[in-house]
């Protein structure tokens, strides 16, 4: 059984130490068969971009022996050797432009020394141009240029408009060099987290072919279901033999294990109607941790700047449930736009999509307009993001205890305690982040219940209206209507008049659930900004009884 490495991201090392490697060389072969090519691909962090770059480097350096048994070795590829320049912005100190420039220059000097040439020039851009020209002349063939994590310097400074613009300008001049050296380049491949816009950093570099959302390359990064089952078969069997339990405490057979892995870690989609993929780091950490389901990908780097942007825009999980993006908006995304105070909600959704917290669901076409509906990829991302967002709004002391109490109250029909716990939460929210909107309070409640692991739906459509919230537990189902600066009585009346419970009564009876009509009223008045009154009715299919 091959070892699964969670810390090696260099292709040659993976092969040297006989670690498990999921063969992705068929996708690389497709790129290599172009006589010349300049390609760009954006993927979320920890999706194998650096490993792909390292694999391409090994190919162009002629390390054929490392590819024995892989797809590329079975093709008619003739393994020509080319000089390779590998730039990885993840390796440099990007805290200032000066330090980034110093790291770039140092890396370029090392490359020049490797090939027995000098690297001359007063800037990294000049040095890159000089090295490309000297390598082309020395080896009489096109140079290969690989750039990993092109956008990391800007992402690290996205909260400061001034810093972000300084980095953008510095990077633009560096990438402009590629345009001028095009006749001397055999192959160019750039990766990053965010999809580039031709009006931004790459305004001077218009020959890049963006494969980020191309169906032929949708599974180039991450693991498909088939790849998971074929490459990790022995590891899967071991987890089953050890009697690993699912989230309900049941011992899993093979099908149960595959279902739970799909629920937790599958679901990333990078092209319309393309096969979904698993995040590699999540799968690796799952097996390394002996089959423990946990939020591995999210824990590798909490997106604090993203969460702060959401708070700044007063955005909540309900905004994510119905999120969509126009096709055109993806081509105009400018990372430095996020550094300003006036960031549009659409820009934030764009970034959530590009960084992997939302993924493609379906294509929507209306007339000549095309847009994508978005969704959370899986349970790992959804649950982690809910917790991260809510704790950014308000950090509850003893949050585990709070969640336990709230879940216990909801599951036992303890509405009084449930309301008191919600009041406790709102009492701790800072006044300066609150908004005079019913949806604001609705979204907070939705997020709280979701954070605690309960089945909560928002904006549920019926034939004559839209239910604010439906909380579904094993023995109790709550139909919830929210009001702002009105009354809880009005909320319950709306549930009655619009017959919101009608679609749930029969199934609730079959499950033995009690159905609650719950009206909650909030007040935005200074000194209150909390739940002021609430009313509940216990419903049956024909005889509503006041509690």
């Amino acid at each position: 059984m091959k070892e699964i490495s969670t810390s090696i991201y260099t292709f040659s090392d993976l092969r040297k130490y006989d670690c498990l490697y999921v063969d992705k060389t068929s996708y690389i072969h497709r790129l290599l068969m172009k006589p010349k090519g300049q390609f760009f691909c954006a993927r979320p962090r920890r999706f194998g971009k650096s490993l792909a770059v390292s694999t391409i480097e090994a190919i162009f350096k002629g390390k054929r022996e490392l590819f024995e048994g892989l797809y590329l070795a079975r093709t008619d590829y003739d393994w020509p050797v080319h000089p390779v320049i590998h730039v990885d912005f993840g390796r440099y100190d990007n805290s200032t432009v000066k330090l980034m420039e110093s790291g770039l220059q140092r890396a370029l000097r090392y490359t020049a020394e490797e090939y027995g040439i000098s690297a001359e020039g007063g800037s990294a851009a000049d040095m890159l141009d000089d090295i490309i020209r000297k390598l082309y002349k020395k080896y009489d063939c096109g140079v290969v240029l690989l750039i990993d994590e092109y956008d990391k310097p800007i992402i690290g400074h996205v909260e400061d408009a001034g810093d972000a613009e300084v980095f953008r300008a510095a990077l633009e001049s560096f990438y402009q060099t590629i345009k001028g050296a095009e006749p001397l380049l055999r192959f160019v491949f750039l990766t990053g987290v965010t999809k580039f816009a031709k009006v931004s950093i790459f305004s001077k570099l218009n020959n890049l072919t963006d494969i980020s959302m191309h169906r032929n390359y949708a599974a180039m990064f991450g693991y498909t279901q088939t790849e998971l089952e074929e490459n990790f078969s022995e590891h899967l069997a071991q987890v089953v033999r050890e009697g690993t339990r699912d989230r309900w405490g049941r011992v899993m057979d093979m099908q149960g294990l595959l279902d739970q892995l799909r629920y937790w870690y599958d679901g990333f989609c990078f092209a319309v109607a393309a096969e979904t993929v698993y995040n590699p780091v999540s799968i690796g950490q799952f097996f390394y941790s002996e089959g423990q389901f946990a939020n591995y990908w999210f824990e590798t780097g909490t997106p604090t700047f993203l969460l702060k942007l959401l708070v700044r825009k007063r955005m909540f999980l309900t905004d994510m449930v119905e999120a969509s993006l126009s096709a055109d908006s993806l081509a105009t995304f400018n990372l430095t736009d996020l550094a300003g105070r006036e960031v549009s909600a659409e820009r934030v959704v764009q970034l959530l999509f590009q960084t992997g917290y939302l993924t493609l669901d379906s294509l929507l076409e209306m007339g000549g307009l095309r847009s994508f509906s978005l969704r959370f990829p899986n349970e790992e991302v959804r649950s982690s993001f809910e917790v991260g967002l809510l704790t950014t709004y308000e950090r509850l002391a003893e949050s585990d205890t709070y969640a336990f109490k709230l879940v216990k109250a909801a599951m036992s029909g303890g509405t009084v305690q449930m309301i008191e716990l919600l009041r406790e939460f709102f009492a701790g929210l800072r006044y300066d982040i609150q908004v005079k909107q019913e949806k604001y309070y609705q979204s907070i409640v939705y997020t709280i219940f979701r954070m605690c692991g309960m089945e909560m739906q928002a904006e549920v459509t019926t034939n004559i209206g839209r239910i604010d919230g439906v909380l579904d537990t094993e023995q109790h189902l709550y139909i919830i209507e929210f009001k702002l600066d009105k009354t809880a009585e009005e909320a319950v009346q709306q549930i009655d008049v619009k017959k919101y419970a009608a679609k749930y009564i029969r199934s609730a009876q079959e499950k033995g659930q009690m159905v609650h009509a719950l009206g909650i009223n909030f007040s935005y008045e200074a000194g209150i900004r909390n739940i002021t009154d609430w009313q509940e009715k216990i419903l049956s299919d024909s005889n509503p009884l006041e509690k």
Side-chain angles (χ1 to χ4, degrees):
M1 186 164 61
K2 286 183 179 290
E3 180 182 348
I4 300 173
S5 173
T6 59
S7 58
I8 299 175
Y9 301 102
T10 302
F11 175 78
S12 58
D13 284 344
L14 279 177
R15 302 294 284 175
K16 175 182 177 181
Y17 297 108
D18 199 29
C19 296
L20 192 151
Y21 171 73
V22 176
D23 189 0
K24 295 290 185 177
T25 58
S26 63
Y27 299 98
I28 297 174
H29 177 254
R30 191 177 296 149
L31 297 175
L32 297 181
M33 294 312 291
K34 311 288 184 183
K36 294 189 70 170
Q38 296 188 7
F39 302 98
F40 169 80
C41 191
R43 284 294 182 271
R45 59 190 171 80
R46 305 303 297 275
F47 245 92
K49 299 186 297 295
S50 296
L51 178 58
V53 169
S54 175
T55 306
I56 295 171
E57 180 176 13
I59 292 169
F60 278 114
K61 287 187 173 181
K63 297 182 179 180
R64 187 170 186 170
E65 70 282 0
L66 297 176
F67 293 83
E68 210 162 305
L70 301 182
Y71 175 89
L72 189 62
R74 300 192 296 271
T75 69
D76 58 357
Y77 184 68
D78 57 4
W79 299 89
V81 176
H82 290 263
V84 178
I85 301 172
H86 182 175
V87 175
D88 182 358
F89 281 95
R91 298 178 182 177
Y92 315 138
D93 183 343
N94 297 308
S95 56
T96 67
V97 169
K98 184 177 180 180
L99 288 172
M100 179 191 74
E101 172 74 13
S102 176
L104 271 173
Q105 291 191 19
R106 185 165 55 253
L108 291 171
R109 280 195 295 270
Y110 290 154
T111 299
E113 290 172 7
E114 178 185 352
Y115 287 102
I117 60 174
S118 61
E120 299 177 11
S123 67
D126 291 340
M127 291 172 68
L128 176 62
D129 182 72
D130 184 61
I131 292 174
I132 291 173
R133 295 182 185 283
K134 287 176 177 176
L135 287 176
Y136 182 85
K137 183 177 180 180
K138 179 173 181 177
Y139 292 94
D140 194 26
C141 64
V143 177
V144 172
L145 178 60
L146 308 175
I147 298 180
D148 198 12
E149 297 194 63
Y150 88 94
D151 51 359
K152 187 162 186 178
I154 293 181
I155 288 177
H157 295 270
V158 75
E159 294 182 67
D160 188 304
D163 282 354
E165 176 55 29
V166 170
F167 275 94
R168 188 207 64 78
L171 290 171
E172 185 177 45
S173 65
F174 182 78
Y175 294 126
Q176 186 176 353
T177 301
I178 304 174
K179 171 74 173 176
E182 182 184 348
L184 314 178
L185 296 170
R186 158 65 179 92
F187 186 88
V188 177
F189 191 68
L190 289 85
T191 77
V193 169
T194 56
K195 179 180 164 69
F196 74 89
K198 292 180 180 178
V199 299
S200 181
I201 296 174
F202 296 104
S203 58
K204 305 294 192 302
L205 187 57
N206 53 16
N207 290 331
L208 280 174
T209 299
D210 183 4
I211 62 172
S212 302
M213 296 177 66
H214 195 295
R215 190 169 181 179
N216 288 344
Y217 301 96
M220 181 174 175
F221 302 89
Y223 303 147
T224 66
Q225 187 67 34
T226 299
E227 288 171 338
L228 173 72
E229 294 183 30
E230 290 182 352
N231 289 271
F232 296 87
S233 58
E234 293 179 284
H235 297 275
L236 290 165
Q238 182 175 333
V239 171
V240 172
R241 282 196 304 271
E242 292 173 353
T244 304
R245 297 177 182 271
D246 63 16
R247 57 194 173 117
W248 297 285
R250 301 176 304 202
V251 175
M252 294 179 291
D253 58 11
M254 180 60 74
Q255 188 57 54
L257 173 58
L258 292 174
D259 289 344
Q260 283 299 296
L261 284 170
R262 188 179 296 112
Y263 172 75
W264 271 87
Y265 305 120
D266 191 13
F268 291 94
C269 183
F270 299 109
V272 175
E275 186 174 3
T276 58
V277 293
Y278 291 81
N279 176 263
V281 73
S282 299
I283 292 301
Q285 289 288 355
F286 171 80
F287 288 115
Y288 182 78
S289 302
E290 300 179 327
Q292 296 298 310
F293 291 99
N295 301 322
Y296 301 113
W297 179 68
F298 195 88
E299 290 172 356
T300 60
T302 305
T304 54
F305 79 95
L306 263 176
L307 298 175
K308 289 177 182 178
L309 275 174
L310 289 168
V311 171
R312 204 165 86 199
K313 293 301 298 179
R314 308 293 194 267
M315 295 177 71
F316 295 90
L317 287 173
T318 47
D319 296 299
M320 307 303 121
V321 171
E322 298 180 345
S324 63
L325 278 179
S326 68
D328 291 340
S329 69
L330 291 174
T332 60
F333 179 76
N334 189 341
L335 189 55
T336 56
D337 287 349
L338 296 166
R341 290 296 300 174
E342 297 303 318
V343 182
S344 69
E346 182 183 43
R347 282 287 186 260
V348 178
V349 171
Q350 284 178 324
L351 189 60
L352 287 169
F353 165 67
Q354 298 200 12
T355 50
Y357 299 100
L358 294 174
T359 197
L360 291 178
D361 187 23
S362 60
L363 175 66
L364 308 173
E365 295 188 89
M366 296 180 63
L369 300 177
R370 299 169 74 249
S371 63
F372 303 102
S373 63
L374 307 176
R375 60 174 170 78
F376 286 111
N378 51 46
E379 174 64 15
E380 177 187 33
V381 176
R382 182 193 62 77
S383 62
S384 298
F385 197 75
E386 287 168 358
V387 173
L389 180 57
L390 193 60
T391 53
T392 301
Y393 271 96
E394 175 59 33
R395 295 192 174 276
L396 282 173
E398 300 179 345
S399 58
D400 289 343
T401 303
Y402 178 90
F404 175 78
K405 289 179 180 177
L406 188 61
V407 171
K408 183 179 179 182
M411 293 184 69
S412 64
T415 316
V416 173
Q417 185 181 15
M418 193 165 71
I419 294 295
E420 287 307 309
L421 287 165
L422 291 175
R423 280 176 168 153
E424 177 187 334
F425 183 88
F426 281 100
L429 279 180
R430 302 198 321 263
Y431 76 92
D432 59 331
I433 68 168
Q434 298 192 42
V435 180
K436 191 177 182 180
Q437 292 178 4
E438 180 184 304
K439 183 179 179 181
Y440 167 83
Y441 292 99
Q442 172 192 344
S443 298
I444 288 283
V445 174
Y446 170 84
T447 307
I448 292 171
F449 283 118
R450 294 287 293 186
M451 179 201 76
C452 295
M454 287 186 275
E455 293 296 324
M456 176 77 172
Q457 293 178 284
E459 301 292 335
V460 180
T461 56
T462 71
N463 60 326
I464 58 173
R466 193 183 286 262
I467 308 171
D468 284 346
V470 177
L471 177 62
D472 193 351
T473 72
E474 186 175 356
Q475 296 181 335
H476 297 267
L477 187 138
Y478 303 83
I479 310 295
I480 308 174
E481 182 67 26
F482 299 95
K483 294 295 179 185
L484 178 62
D485 292 326
K486 294 181 181 178
T487 68
E489 183 180 5
E490 291 178 74
V492 172
Q493 285 177 352
Q494 183 171 326
I495 296 173
D496 285 342
V497 170
K498 296 198 173 183
K499 301 184 181 347
Y500 285 159
K503 67 185 292 184
Y504 296 100
I505 289 293
R506 184 177 297 277
S507 62
Q509 286 180 329
E510 292 173 353
K511 296 176 185 176
Q513 287 178 310
M514 180 181 290
V515 180
H516 305 243
L518 180 58
I520 301 176
N521 182 64
F522 289 87
S523 173
Y524 188 74
E525 289 184 23
I528 302 179
R529 295 188 181 175
N530 208 321
I531 298 172
T532 54
D533 65 309
W534 63 281
Q535 190 177 106
E536 178 185 49
K537 283 186 179 181
I538 306 301
L539 305 179
S540 67
D541 57 343
S542 60
N543 184 28
L545 300 173
E546 181 96 33
K547 183 174 179 180

